[in-house]
Amino acid sequence: MWEFGRAAVGGKGGSGSALKQAWMMVRASAISSSAGLWAGEVRVLGGQGWSGSLSGGGLLPLNGISDNKGSRQERMRLGRGIGSGKGKTAGRGHKGQKARSGCKPRLGFEGGQTPLRLRIPKRGFTNNLGHSYQPVNLNTIADLVSKGRIDPSQLITIKTLKDAGAVGKKMLDGMKLLGRGAEEFKLPIHIEVSRVSERAKAAIEAAGGSVRRVHYNQLGLKALLDPEWFNKKGRLLPKPARPPLKVRPKVDGTGSLPAPVTPPESVPSAQEPTVLA
Amino acid sequence: MAVFWSSSSSCRSKLSSLVGCFNWSAPKNGCSLRGFASAAQGSLTDKEVAVTNFARDDKGTATLAGDIFDVPIRRDIVHRVVVWQLAKRRQGTHSTKTVSEVSGTGKKPGPQKGSGRARHGTLRGPQFRGGATMHGPKPRDYEIGLQKKVRRMGLKVALSARVAEGKLRVFESVVPTSPRTKDMANFLSEMDARKVLFVDDCEKMNDSLVRATSNLHFANVLPVKGLNVYSILQHDTLVMTLGAIRFLERSLHTPISR
């Protein structure tokens, strides 16, 4: 086997650096004409040390397989003498509760003294009605369009943006369109998002597009982004939720389900006079 | 086409064949000259192989799917699958008795002080004859987890290695011409093989093959449903029926259920 390894590496004109690589090359044609449908070399990747050969025990002999180097960490042996560096106190320091076996005092326990989390008064509150949105900027959309991952001629929805990778896995309560890159934005796109900043709205409308703020609740977002989930469970797709009274002034309408592909008829016609003027 | 077993192999003795040490000299016009030796191994290209049977008839060729039979050979993946297989097959039924399980009284054998003897709380402590075992084995499961994708990849790598070595033979069927062990031993001695695994796509392997091979330690049979990395690695030659190959391709192309 070793002769093969050297011969193969020597044949390629490599030197010591080639030998250091994890794989070994076996020249099939040099070994036996019965071996293989491949005339060239067969690479065995991964593992460490000795590898199989076409002539001997095969490419994967049971005594020649191994996992990659570094795939297993060696266990630290505590209390095994001075030379180990973890000898006398085995990394536990000197005496006391934490040096003994068994339980340690719980996290945050300060020996009976009032711990920090009780010394400091509570402050703040959790807003159960608050919404937070994933930010999406105009430059991100322009970038995705230039890469061909968004079709600007179609209606761009939250699903389009999610599928194109404008945001990560987390959706929160929807998406808000923000104005970074508004100066260079020239695409006449039609887009539906949860909220939009004034600057972004102005930039899109100046470019000849339109923005619609639509309301989706959490179930609606799931139905929008992952309709397959309902199909798999044998459930019907939910009806889109109407926006609550407090939300109504902040949105232009109810988000449609399943994901719409064409902009509503009313929106472009309402926008056209302003664009022409 | 059918040049697997050339009659030019002369240095063969019946004795050596029966103990499974075959000296098979390769013919000069071997399989590598069959015109398929174009792409490098591991390039996921479909391969054509000759189909034959126990009578060594030429049954044409078959195509092996490249993403199963021509994947890069990864030793580490195979190692992980073998470790997983060997770990999960352990019974783990070993058991010893602790101090509370050993039969005998739990009564304190004597007073703590004043008897002139050593103090003891029980006569079944680990220091006593017939006493408990400390830190002994208890029944447990040795199985370790391995991702289904890795398990599948291991099987693909093992199959690809056999194809790369030219040790995967495709038969039309694995019904031998005769159910006699002697004939089977003769047949296998003419193959370039030390250990052979026959794989068929059936619930129960055909009786004549089982009878012919059951007394040969270097030949085993397995339905394709049970084909696994460890068994492939234990045998240097794999003989598969065309049906078994198609079954394997179908099952390995099915998406993994979550």
Side-chain angles (χ1 to χ4, degrees):
Chain A
M1 179 53 223
W2 284 113
E3 289 78 25
F4 276 129
R6 289 202 197 95
V9 169
K12 270 206 100 183
S15 58
S17 63
L19 266 176
K20 278 177 196 159
Q21 294 186 18
W23 49 268
M24 305 203 66
M25 293 190 303
V26 183
R27 213 171 266 283
S29 57
I31 293 155
S32 118
S33 49
S34 76
L37 304 171
W38 287 268
E41 65 236 0
V42 176
R43 288 169 167 193
V44 178
L45 306 158
Q48 7 175 356
W50 181 80
S51 149
S53 71
L54 279 176
S55 61
L59 292 168
L60 294 170
L62 270 172
N63 61 350
I65 54 175
S66 56
D67 213 333
N68 286 332
K69 200 178 176 191
S71 55
R72 272 171 177 268
Q73 192 175 15
E74 207 167 290
R75 186 172 57 95
M76 191 185 282
R77 300 178 74 231
L78 300 174
R80 292 291 181 274
I82 299 165
S84 71
K86 288 274 179 279
K88 193 179 121 193
T89 55
R92 284 169 169 267
H94 290 276
K95 296 211 254 185
Q97 194 176 3
K98 285 190 277 187
R100 313 286 178 217
S101 72
C103 304
K104 279 179 189 169
R106 65 174 181 269
L107 190 69
F109 183 69
E110 299 178 15
Q113 167 183 290
T114 309
L116 186 71
R117 66 161 211 285
L118 297 180
R119 276 203 301 270
I120 294 171
K122 292 180 182 177
R123 71 187 282 277
F125 80 111
T126 309
N127 185 2
N128 288 326
L129 300 171
H131 286 137
S132 45
Y133 300 98
Q134 281 282 8
V136 177
N137 280 289
L138 288 177
N139 61 349
T140 315
I141 294 177
D143 186 38
L144 290 170
V145 168
S146 71
K147 283 176 182 160
R149 293 170 72 174
I150 290 179
D151 181 7
S153 62
Q154 295 282 318
L155 175 69
I156 298 171
T157 59
I158 293 175
K159 183 172 172 57
T160 322
L161 292 168
K162 173 88 189 298
D163 293 347
V167 297
K169 275 185 181 173
K170 205 181 266 184
M171 184 41 74
L172 306 176
D173 297 305
M175 280 183 192
K176 181 165 182 176
L177 193 58
L178 301 176
R180 191 184 297 157
E183 291 79 16
E184 301 90 49
F185 196 78
K186 294 286 181 289
L187 296 164
I189 54 168
H190 299 285
I191 189 165
E192 278 188 0
V193 283
S194 307
R195 301 284 185 276
V196 63
S197 74
E198 282 178 18
R199 196 158 146 249
K201 188 177 168 70
I204 287 180
E205 284 172 359
S210 68
V211 189
R212 215 168 150 255
R213 296 168 300 172
V214 288
H215 174 77
Y216 287 106
N217 60 3
Q218 281 295 337
L219 183 71
L221 273 179
K222 186 160 185 69
L224 177 75
L225 299 172
D226 191 9
E228 269 304 297
W229 187 85
F230 293 86
N231 193 15
K232 210 161 65 183
K233 295 248 172 187
R235 294 184 196 169
L236 293 173
L237 211 61
K239 284 181 182 170
R242 289 166 300 155
L245 271 177
K246 275 191 172 178
V247 175
R248 232 163 263 180
K250 298 179 183 173
V251 295
D252 300 323
T254 308
S256 44
L257 286 173
V261 282
T262 48
E265 292 301 316
S266 59
V267 176
S269 59
Q271 294 296 328
E272 268 164 6
T274 58
V275 172
L276 288 169
Chain B
M1 213 50 164
V3 285
F4 282 140
W5 309 286
S6 160
S7 57
S8 71
S9 48
S10 54
C11 51
R12 229 184 286 132
S13 71
K14 208 157 252 182
L15 186 71
S16 69
S17 73
L18 281 171
V19 294
C21 310
F22 304 132
N23 276 322
W24 189 78
S25 62
K28 290 292 169 278
N29 53 347
C31 306
S32 64
L33 301 179
R34 280 184 297 169
F36 309 132
S38 49
Q41 199 279 331
S43 53
L44 309 182
T45 42
D46 291 355
K47 296 289 161 203
E48 291 236 339
V49 289
V51 181
T52 179
N53 60 9
F54 278 105
R56 296 166 210 174
D57 297 332
D58 182 6
K59 294 283 181 183
T61 58
T63 309
L64 304 180
D67 59 339
I68 292 172
F69 294 95
D70 188 21
V71 300
I73 293 168
R74 293 271 306 270
R75 270 195 296 169
D76 50 334
I77 297 293
V78 168
H79 179 261
R80 286 178 67 187
V81 177
V82 168
V83 167
W84 167 74
Q85 267 190 265
L86 295 183
K88 77 192 270 284
R89 80 175 189 182
R90 287 184 71 172
Q91 260 193 317
T93 50
H94 39 42
S95 186
T96 54
K97 286 188 175 168
T98 67
V99 73
S100 62
E101 290 159 351
V102 178
S103 73
T105 177
K107 189 175 182 296
K108 189 170 174 71
Q112 180 77 357
K113 294 171 76 68
S115 63
R117 291 174 56 82
R119 56 200 177 189
H120 288 297
T122 168
L123 283 172
R124 294 300 190 191
Q127 74 271 40
F128 289 105
R129 178 184 157 277
T133 305
M134 284 309 287
H135 307 302
K138 281 284 178 191
R140 68 188 171 108
D141 192 357
Y142 282 91
E143 182 163 357
I144 52 174
L146 191 68
Q147 292 88 335
K148 286 180 187 172
K149 282 185 183 177
V150 180
R151 299 180 207 171
R152 277 194 176 185
M153 192 176 168
L155 191 55
K156 290 177 187 177
V157 171
L159 290 166
S160 300
R162 289 294 172 261
V163 174
E165 292 157 5
K167 295 292 184 72
L168 179 82
R169 304 283 156 81
V170 182
F171 275 30
E172 194 193 27
S173 82
V174 284
V175 182
T177 43
S178 121
R180 298 190 67 201
T181 307
K182 192 176 174 184
D183 296 339
M184 177 60 75
N186 272 336
F187 178 83
L188 293 178
S189 72
E190 289 169 17
M191 281 171 74
D192 180 19
R194 283 197 300 272
K195 283 192 87 176
V196 186
L197 181 66
F198 291 98
V199 181
D200 196 3
D201 63 330
C202 55
E203 289 296 313
K204 195 169 169 293
M205 299 296 285
N206 71 75
D207 207 35
S208 53
L209 180 68
V210 172
R211 271 173 191 279
T213 56
S214 61
N215 222 11
L216 298 175
H217 67 84
F218 48 85
N220 288 303
V221 297
L222 198 63
V224 65
K225 221 187 244 180
L227 189 63
N228 61 86
V229 174
Y230 189 60
S231 294
I232 295 175
L233 260 54
Q234 277 181 319
H235 302 83
D236 71 334
T237 301
L238 199 56
V239 177
M240 293 181 77
T241 59
L242 203 52
I245 283 184
R246 296 295 170 243
F247 179 94
L248 212 55
E249 286 176 350
R250 218 167 31 247
S251 61
L252 290 178
H253 283 152
T254 312
I256 292 171
S257 62
R258 290 168 196 279

